[in-house]
Amino acid sequence: MSTEPPPPGPPPDDDPFLKKPPPDQPPPAGGSPYDTPPGSQGPPGPGSPYGSGGGTPPPPYDPYGGGGGYGPPDPLAGMPPLADFGKRLVARIIDALIIAIPLGLIQIPFGSRFTVDRGEDASDVFVDSYSGGGLIWTLIAIVAFIGYDTLMVKTSGQTVGKKLLKLRVAMLNDGTTPDTSASLMRATVLWLPALLCCPCIWQIVLAITIVMDKPYKQGLHDKAGKTVVVTTD
């Protein structure tokens, strides 16, 4: 190793540690490594199962409406508009009346379902209502409500109430009319708890789950049948 001192004067031009870029030199092409080059975005996520199944998939969902294509795909893309809760409620009331009124008329000749004396407490009322004639009428109501809903939904996806309100029950995964298994499961969860013990409370529970569920507005009965309720117009 040489011990001679460096020559006087500025350092040589070939010193790589002291070289500086020329002034006004533009930055290298490509910008930040975090910038996405045009046309290099990955393919958008799968579209809604309610689409035609072919052609160009819908663009990625942009929750801010900027059209930038950022964010996850819109799960509702291509799906008919989900049914309004108010219309669903009216349709259910219509369907309940269609079954309840004939059952009530048939029951009139046989007397009241509940025969309770003033001296009986709440536990006696419950036992009496599910014994003898009360049990028979309960079973008839279960068969009527669940059978009606299952038959109508598996046939066309529409009960009478839903036809009047222009609504339809559809399978979530592909938009088809529910089969017998899905229709029966949905109808059982919809009506059985209400008919057995707590009609008002159960309907409130279902209403809350529909309103709170995102993004498909599925009640517990919809989740059981893996269905959604959409509009038909």
Side-chain angles (χ1 to χ4, degrees):
M1 181 175 179
S2 174
T3 58
E4 296 181 359
D13 292 338
D14 58 354
D15 187 346
F17 297 99
L18 297 179
K19 284 185 176 181
K20 298 181 180 180
D24 301 330
Q25 181 177 353
S32 167
Y34 295 94
D35 292 339
T36 303
S40 65
Q41 294 180 355
S48 165
Y50 290 77
S52 61
T56 305
Y61 175 49
D62 182 2
Y64 299 100
Y70 297 99
D74 183 0
L76 303 178
M79 181 186 294
L82 294 173
D84 178 74
F85 172 74
K87 290 186 176 181
R88 293 184 64 171
L89 179 60
V90 173
R92 187 176 302 173
I93 293 174
I94 293 174
D95 293 328
L97 292 177
I98 287 175
I99 303 300
I101 291 176
L103 285 179
L105 295 176
I106 295 172
Q107 187 179 352
I108 290 176
F110 300 94
S112 174
R113 172 183 171 184
F114 302 102
T115 304
V116 182
D117 295 332
R118 291 186 178 181
E120 295 178 336
D121 58 21
S123 61
D124 295 331
V125 173
F126 181 82
V127 172
D128 289 343
S129 64
Y130 290 102
S131 61
L135 176 60
I136 294 175
W137 284 111
T138 299
L139 294 177
I140 292 175
I142 289 173
V143 172
F145 277 91
I146 295 180
Y148 163 83
D149 209 283
T150 300
L151 178 62
M152 299 293 288
V153 169
K154 85 179 187 65
T155 300
S156 63
Q158 294 179 298
T159 59
V160 173
K162 286 181 171 58
K163 287 181 180 178
L164 295 176
L165 274 296
K166 297 183 179 181
L167 308 178
R168 181 174 74 90
V169 180
M171 296 301 296
L172 175 62
N173 62 339
D174 57 10
T176 58
T177 299
D179 59 14
T180 302
S181 176
S183 300
L184 178 60
M185 179 64 69
R186 185 180 189 276
T188 300
V189 176
L190 174 60
W191 294 114
L192 187 60
L195 295 171
L196 288 179
C197 62
C198 43
C200 294
I201 294 177
W202 185 245
Q203 295 303 324
I204 292 174
V205 170
L206 294 180
I208 292 174
T209 57
I210 293 172
V211 173
M212 298 299 294
D213 183 71
K214 304 295 181 183
Y216 298 115
K217 299 182 181 180
Q218 290 178 296
L220 295 179
H221 55 303
D222 293 312
K223 291 185 180 297
K226 300 179 181 179
T227 60
V228 289
V229 180
V230 297
T231 59
T232 59
D233 53 348

